[in-house]
Structure formats: structure tokens, C-alpha cells
Amino acid sequence: SELGRTGKNWLLIVGLALAAALFFIWPIPRTTSLRDLLLVVCLGLFAYLAYRSSRRESFRWQSLRVPFGLYLVLSVWIVFVAIAISEETVWSLNEIRGQWLKATIALVVGGLLGAAIRNDDNTLRLTLTIIGIALLLHVLYVAYQALSVWPQQKVLLTRVAGLTGGSDKSNYLTNMLLYFLLAEIIVRSVFHRRFLPVGNIPLAVITVVALFAVYVEAMRNGIAELAIVLGVAVILVMRESDRMRRLIAVDITLALVIVALVLGYLTVRKDERWQTFLETVPIALDIENKAWINEALPQPRLANGQTVDWSNYMRIARMRAGLSLMADYPLGVGFGRNAFGHAVEKKYGMRTSHSHSGIIDLGAGIGVPGVLLWLGFLGVLLRLGYRGLCQSHSFPALALLFLTAGYSFRMLVDSTIRDHMLQMFLFLAAFLAVIVASRLHGQQRETSAPASV
């Protein structure tokens, strides 16, 4: 393996250490300068390592031309909207520099790392293991925080943030780790392979700890996201059931469904907001009442006389308003984290922040064409992961599929197309996409090679 030749590959060892450090500090608040420094250093280091790897064997990019082509066109469109369409060009260009440029660097760094180690299964396994360990450290701290008052008060702390800036931020990390674990569980049980260097019992223990973290983080959108991915996993397991003993397929399916149902039940029982959600929907769809713009405005009331739950009301109303804004400004008002707030001010004369939906924020900023390009990019990543799974039954393909499916749902209900959430997703997606594409090319080459006589 690459790491076996330590004398010649100390740069790779340093690079993996830096990647592990980057993944650990990425979601920690007030570490922006350190993140940026690590990103830039990794960019240069992995570019050199990828170049060195390409000298030994060139990499065919055919499977990646469409996703990266869509991303490039999307990036050009974002800049075009800022310069030619937005009435706040300076603000949008600053947001592009601070948000999209950094996310693009993260994508390039992840892709370069994948290109550097694509032919080395041992190094690939090590890389994904250290990324998983970085995520696990965050999850363990969440569990520790939740249990910290148990000896004295016999209660669990909930909505725990861990080392991050909020329980929603820590939940992104927990779900990401669970997608790795779920991919490994399916690879072992369905395809009878082992990828991550961990035994079955430690794998089960880590999974239970991560599920416990999901519970104490108490993020209903995070649990809904996890349920969606578990549903995808059920479909994949049943698709492969003809390759397995029927009893094993049923057992795996039941286990996944039970986990999803238990998490959902505990969340609904614990989160009082669900009790008034359905009653709030028709109230929130009436966006002529501008109370959704600012919580300080008089709020609508439910049938029992109580005011609506702000989170339920505001999220639904802002999604509805976001669709209206995209109809009013189909080319957007300029890319930015708070583009929704700028669009609201342009139409209603009142400023607010983001919409709590990444896709609505994106649509308000770069319009319908931008949303279609972004959805196309995610769709091609899903297709690439599925193709890789069908042809190789590999962990990277399954992890790419779960990661992209989870992120695609979460961006609908949370503002995840921003900050470290976007950067971490693009880094991992590009890294896994390069690995999957490399294996697809390798199999095609073996298939097309003439048989020896």
C-alpha cells in the first residue's frame, strides 16, 4: 500500500493527519481561521499527491464529467446572478467568497484526496476510519453531556450541542457517522464483506451510542432525515434479498424499520411541537399575515386560544413564502446565506434572516435555474452511488448514496447549504465520488479487456 512505503509517503501520512484534524474542528465554533488554514494546506498537499498518483496511472474522469460539470455551471451561474441580476452585487460577491468559494475548495480537496489514494484499498480504509473517529469523538461528547447530570438528578439532558454551536449542528455529525455505520452493517450482512477495521460487537456498540446521541439531540428534522435513509436502506436490502436467505433479509428489514419507528415515537412523545403541527399548517399557509417575518409581531392563535408554536408556524410560512418569492424573482436576488431575508425585504419592506430551508434560501438567492442545477448535481451523485453499489457492492458507493440522500432531505427542512455543513458534505461527496468512479472505470476496463488465449 501507499502507507507501506513510509519513507516515500510521509506526505500522505501528514495529509491524513491534517484531514482528521480538519474534520474534527470543522463544526467547532470560532475555529474559522484554523479551518481555512487547514483547507489551504490540504489543497496544496493533496494536489501534489494526486499529481504523483496520476503519473503512475492516469485517472479516467468520464463518470465524473456530469456532476462536476453541473457544479461548474452552477458556480458560473451564481457569479452571473451576483453581477448581472442582483441589486446588491457587493453583498452577494462577499457571500460567494465567504461561502461558495470555501465550499468549492472543500469539494476540490476531497476530490484530490480521493484521486491520490484511489488505487490503495488499505489507505482508503484508513482514511474513512480516521474520518469516522473524528465524528465519533463528537458523538461521544454528546452522550457524555447528556449523561452528565444523571448521577445527581436521574434525568438526561436533551437538545445537547456537544462541541458544536447547537444541537442541530451536532446532529448533522451524528447522522453522518450513522450513515457510515449503516453502510458497513449492510455491506457485512448483505454482501458478506468487511470494510471498516472494527469487529461486529464494537460496531454494534458504536451504533447504539450514535442512536442514543440522536435521541438526546432531539432534532425532529434529524430523525426524519435518518428515517428517510433507513427507508432507502430497506429498499436496497429487499432488492438484494434474492441473493440472501429470505430470513436474513426479513430480519435486517425489520431491524431497520423498528429503529426508525422507535426513534419517531420517542421524538413525537417528547416534542410537544408535534401536537399542534397539523393545526398550524393552514394558519401558516396564509402568508398575507406577515407575523412569520418577525416573532415580535402579533402571532396567530390556535383554536384553544394559545399562540402558534413559533418554530412550526415560521418554518411552514417561510417555505410557502419562499416559493412565492421564487415566482416573483425567478432569477434570484443574489447568492447569500440570508438571501431569503433580502428577498423578503425587497417584496415586503421588512428584513428577516434565512428561511430554515436550504433549498428555499438557495432558490431566493439564485432562482429557479440555480435550484435545478443544484438538484441535478445531487441527483447525479445519487445515481453514481447507486451504479457503484450495483456493480461493486462497495462501502464507498453505499456511503455516497446514504450521505447524499440524507443531505438532500435535510436541506429541505434546515438551512444546510451554508457554512461547515455544506463544506463537510461536499468534501465527503467528492472524495467518495472519485473513489466510486475509479472503481467503475476499473471494472469496465477489466470487462472490455480481451480474454487471454
Side-chain angles (χ1 to χ4, degrees):
S1 70
E2 288 287 334
L3 289 178
R5 298 187 291 273
T6 307
K8 296 183 179 179
N9 291 282
W10 62 270
L11 280 178
L12 182 56
I13 298 173
V14 172
L16 294 182
L18 291 176
L22 176 61
F23 247 80
F24 179 74
I25 66 100
W26 228 327
I28 300 176
R30 295 178 292 279
T31 60
T32 304
S33 297
L34 181 56
R35 297 179 212 165
D36 294 348
L37 176 62
L38 285 172
L39 261 180
V40 172
V41 173
C42 286
L43 176 64
L45 186 56
F46 294 151
Y48 170 73
L49 292 172
Y51 167 74
R52 192 173 67 178
S53 176
S54 68
R55 293 179 62 186
R56 292 193 295 271
E57 181 180 353
S58 61
F59 178 57
R60 302 290 182 89
W61 295 91
Q62 288 89 333
S63 299
L64 298 177
R65 285 184 300 184
V66 175
F68 289 156
L70 284 170
Y71 189 89
L72 178 60
V73 173
L74 173 61
S75 300
V76 172
W77 173 254
I78 288 174
V79 176
F80 173 78
V81 171
I83 295 174
I85 297 172
S86 176
E87 297 175 1
E88 300 176 272
T89 297
V90 174
W91 158 75
S92 186
L93 289 176
N94 283 333
E95 286 289 298
I96 292 170
R97 176 182 55 82
Q99 288 288 316
W100 195 256
L101 177 60
K102 289 182 182 179
T104 301
I105 293 173
L107 177 140
V108 172
V109 170
L112 289 172
L113 175 57
I117 66 172
R118 66 187 187 279
N119 296 320
D120 188 347
D121 286 342
N122 290 330
T123 306
L124 170 62
R125 187 175 291 109
L126 175 62
T127 302
L128 288 169
T129 299
I130 62 175
I131 290 175
I133 290 173
L135 295 172
L136 177 60
L137 292 175
H138 283 278
V139 171
L140 289 174
Y141 191 71
V142 166
Y144 165 76
Q145 274 192 321
L147 293 168
S148 61
V149 299
W150 180 266
Q152 294 79 28
Q153 304 177 25
K154 297 298 184 287
V155 296
L156 293 173
L157 292 179
T158 56
R159 299 187 73 84
V160 178
L163 297 172
T164 71
S167 54
D168 57 335
K169 308 298 188 300
S170 64
N171 182 248
Y172 300 140
L173 307 179
T174 306
N175 281 4
M176 198 177 291
L177 176 63
L178 277 168
Y179 301 151
F180 278 16
L181 298 172
L182 181 60
E184 180 67 16
I185 290 169
I186 291 179
V187 165
R188 291 189 186 189
S189 57
V190 177
F191 304 125
H192 308 293
R193 298 179 179 181
R194 176 174 296 201
F195 185 82
L196 297 178
V198 59
N200 290 335
I201 293 178
L203 181 66
V205 170
I206 294 170
T207 303
V208 170
V209 172
L211 290 172
F212 173 73
V214 169
Y215 173 69
V216 297
E217 286 159 347
M219 297 306 301
R220 54 182 176 173
N221 291 337
I223 292 177
E225 173 199 344
L226 184 58
I228 293 293
V229 174
L230 288 173
V232 172
V234 167
I235 293 171
L236 293 176
V237 169
M238 295 309 296
R239 176 186 172 276
E240 295 293 332
S241 62
D242 58 332
R243 302 171 184 266
M244 310 160 54
R245 287 186 300 171
R246 180 67 60 177
L247 183 60
I248 296 177
V250 171
D251 288 344
I252 297 172
T253 301
L254 284 176
L256 294 173
V257 171
I258 288 172
V259 169
L261 290 177
V262 169
L263 285 174
Y265 168 74
L266 292 175
T267 302
V268 170
R269 191 188 68 172
K270 195 175 186 63
D271 195 334
E272 296 180 355
R273 294 175 297 179
W274 285 111
Q275 299 174 13
T276 59
F277 180 82
L278 292 178
E279 186 180 352
T280 304
V281 171
I283 298 173
L285 292 177
D286 177 19
I287 59 174
E288 293 305 315
N289 183 346
K290 301 179 180 60
W292 52 270
I293 297 178
N294 192 324
E295 190 176 5
L297 296 173
Q299 297 295 302
R301 294 186 177 274
L302 301 170
N304 61 7
Q306 294 180 342
T307 57
V308 293
D309 178 84
W310 170 248
S311 178
N312 284 339
Y313 171 69
M314 172 268 299
R315 285 175 178 270
I316 299 168
R318 291 189 180 188
M319 285 188 185
R320 169 68 180 84
L323 295 174
S324 177
L325 290 169
M326 280 191 277
D328 293 333
Y329 312 114
L331 299 183
V333 299
F335 177 86
R337 284 168 293 182
N338 296 324
F340 174 81
H342 287 248
V344 167
E345 183 177 33
K346 185 174 181 179
K347 181 174 181 178
Y348 297 100
M350 302 172 65
R351 173 66 65 88
T352 186
S353 58
H354 56 82
S355 67
H356 291 271
S357 167
I359 199 67
I360 294 295
D361 292 335
L362 195 68
I366 58 175
V368 176
V371 168
L372 293 177
L373 287 168
W374 175 250
L375 292 178
F377 171 71
L378 295 177
V380 174
L381 287 180
L382 286 170
R383 181 175 179 273
L384 178 62
Y386 183 71
R387 283 181 57 209
L389 179 66
C390 291
Q391 295 192 28
S392 66
H393 298 158
S394 68
F395 176 95
L398 198 52
L400 176 62
L401 191 59
F402 288 158
L403 176 74
T404 308
Y407 187 85
S408 297
F409 172 80
R410 193 63 171 269
M411 73 178 184
L412 301 177
V413 294
D414 277 326
S415 290
T416 60
I417 309 179
R418 58 191 293 161
D419 302 323
H420 68 275
M421 293 90 71
L422 177 61
Q423 295 172 29
M424 294 179 78
F425 167 71
L426 288 178
F427 178 100
L428 269 182
F431 173 73
L432 293 170
V434 168
I435 298 299
V436 173
S438 176
R439 276 150 176 69
L440 284 174
H441 168 65
Q443 289 181 342
Q444 292 169 358
R445 185 174 55 185
E446 291 176 2
T447 304
S448 61
S452 58
V453 178

